[in-house]
Amino acid sequence: MFSNTIIPDFDMFNILNAAMKDLMCRTDSKTEVKEVTEIVPSCYNKVDDTGLTLVVELPGVKKEDVSATLDGRKFSICAPRDLFGKKVTYSLDLKIGAEFDDTKPEVNYADGVFTLKLPKRGVPEPRKLTIQ
């Protein structure tokens, strides 16, 4: 059964604040606090009959600062920006499924949103083989 008892010294703000500090800081083996310099951006994808649409959110980044590569099945995006007076870099590496045609990418960037569209590879037609 649940009770209506309030747990003493339970302060949600302090718990959330501590969690955010943990997210924003990392420690090395000497337990020195280091600031985060790399951030994994929010991203989502949609797969339908036509292909793959990948959306990466890069708020506060100028178009000319975005660097994206598609090397076979590996997609990488990197974008530096200032965040609260600190230099940080959005960085993301993903593998793209073999069913998508990486030779025909459609790329767009507007209002801090990067969009990559890849069509599905065509199904190869069966060929009659000649036996010699």
Side-chain angles (χ1 to χ4, degrees):
M1 298 287 299
F2 294 103
S3 70
N4 291 332
T5 307
I6 297 174
I7 301 169
D9 299 327
F10 180 79
D11 183 353
M12 191 60 161
F13 175 78
N14 285 333
I15 291 172
L16 289 173
N17 193 28
M20 288 304 294
K21 283 183 181 177
D22 287 344
L23 280 174
M24 296 302 290
C25 298
R26 300 206 176 135
T27 59
D28 62 11
S29 60
K30 298 177 185 174
T31 66
E32 295 175 15
V33 175
K34 292 188 174 185
E35 291 185 30
V36 172
T37 57
E38 192 170 292
I39 298 172
V40 177
S42 296
C43 69
Y44 54 92
N45 65 63
K46 174 186 160 191
V47 177
D48 58 21
D49 293 340
T50 62
L52 167 72
T53 301
L54 176 68
V55 177
V56 182
E57 296 178 3
L58 303 168
V61 176
K62 298 177 201 160
K63 180 180 177 178
E64 57 270 12
D65 292 337
V66 177
S67 173
T69 59
L70 186 59
D71 183 13
R73 292 180 50 208
K74 184 181 178 190
F75 168 75
S76 299
I77 190 165
C78 181
R81 75 162 284 193
D82 286 326
L83 184 65
F84 304 114
K86 307 288 183 191
K87 287 277 189 191
V88 297
T89 302
Y90 289 111
S91 180
L92 179 68
D93 294 312
L94 299 172
K95 281 191 177 179
I96 304 295
E99 66 270 24
F100 303 107
D101 189 351
D102 61 334
T103 64
K104 300 175 184 173
E106 183 182 318
V107 180
N108 188 22
Y109 186 77
D111 300 323
V113 179
F114 176 91
T115 306
L116 170 68
K117 293 183 179 184
L118 296 174
K120 282 192 174 181
R121 292 189 190 277
V123 178
E125 294 291 322
R127 296 181 299 155
K128 182 160 176 78
L129 301 175
T130 306
I131 302 172
Q132 296 183 0

